[in-house]
Amino acid sequence: MPVSQNSCIFAYIKTVKKMQNFHELLLTRRSIRKYTDEPISGEDVKTILEAGLMAPSSKRKMPWHFIVVEDKAMLAQLSQCRDAGAGPIANAALAIIVTVDMTVSEAWVEDGSIAAVLMQLQAHDLGLGSCWIQLRNRSLGDEATEDLVREMLEIPDNMAILCAVTIGHKDEVRKPFDEEKMLWEKVHIAKW
Ligand SMILES: Cc1cc2nc3c(=O)[nH]c(=O)nc-3n(C[C@H](O)[C@H](O)[C@H](O)COP(=O)(O)O)c2cc1C
């Protein structure tokens, strides 16, 4: 079989494997906090970042900037920037620090959050694990986590630092969302 035909088949298999019903994607996405040592391919990193760069934003201001951190020592340092809860950064293949320009959009929290979640969903669709690690309004002792991360990554003062989206090949299995536990009582029809 000619090489070109072969690579067509591989591309097809990859597409079929990746393609899943969107609801299925939402049901099976869980926060993954344990990762193998396997690096993430450049192609996958690009696809994940594209998901962030395509995110809807208020008035199409696109006020976010993403910082991709892959250096192991820096990941370890970032994981220590909070009293607790940032541990998964240390063993991730990479972390995408989501920063948002507060001077560009009054809806900066929303804009940054949507971009972060879309990158998580894209990572999941690629078969990768991810976790949102909160950096905004968190602290290490008396020091604000944002101040520590700002200094470390030389982030300008106008940029809020929302979260780190950790990405890695999964080293844990999580059950899908339990549909029995969907809080339908939180849905109100017409009035509260
Ligand atoms: C705004 C926000 C902040 C979060 N902060 C952290 C965090 O700092 N550390 C962490 O391990 N997980 C964090 N998470 C992940 C949540 O703990 C997780 O989404 C939640 O427990 C539901 O689990 P699931 O994602 O596996 O469905 C955060 C999620 C969100 C949306």
Side-chain angles (χ1 to χ4, degrees), residues 142-154:
D142 293 338
E143 287 193 88
T145 297
E146 273 196 87
D147 291 345
L148 295 168
V149 176
R150 189 180 305 288
E151 193 182 335
M152 192 185 149
L153 303 181
E154 299 175 17

Side-chain angles (χ1 to χ4, degrees), residues 14 18 41-54 96 118-119 122-123 125-126 128:
K14 208 173 160 198
K18 267 169 50 179
S41 73
E43 194 190 337
D44 282 358
V45 176
K46 181 170 175 270
T47 304
I48 292 165
L49 289 168
E50 281 175 349
L53 294 170
M54 284 191 282
I96 301 171
L118 288 185
M119 289 192 282
Q122 180 64 75
D125 190 47
L126 291 167
L128 300 168

Side-chain angles (χ1 to χ4, degrees), residues 29-31 33 82 85-86 88 131-134 174 177:
R29 183 222 54 82
R30 299 299 312 278
S31 294
R33 299 182 176 86
R82 270 181 56 181
C131 189
W132 175 309
I133 305 292
Q134 183 75 8
R174 302 276 324 267
F177 192 98

Side-chain angles (χ1 to χ4, degrees), residues 31-103:
S31 294
I32 299 296
R33 299 182 176 86
K34 291 181 184 151
Y35 316 98
T36 69
D37 291 335
E38 195 183 338
I40 310 291
S41 73
E43 194 190 337
D44 282 358
V45 176
K46 181 170 175 270
T47 304
I48 292 165
L49 289 168
E50 281 175 349
L53 294 170
M54 284 191 282
S57 60
S58 173
K59 301 175 188 168
R60 209 166 194 268
K61 290 278 180 75
M62 303 179 173
W64 12 252
H65 285 241
F66 310 122
I67 306 170
V68 182
V69 180
E70 289 180 287
D71 180 77
K72 292 281 169 216
M74 285 177 89
L75 290 170
Q77 202 181 331
L78 281 168
S79 76
Q80 300 294 318
C81 66
R82 270 181 56 181
D83 290 328
I89 300 176
N91 71 335
L94 61 93
I96 301 171
I97 312 301
V98 178
T99 72
V100 203
D101 193 335
M102 297 175 287
T103 65

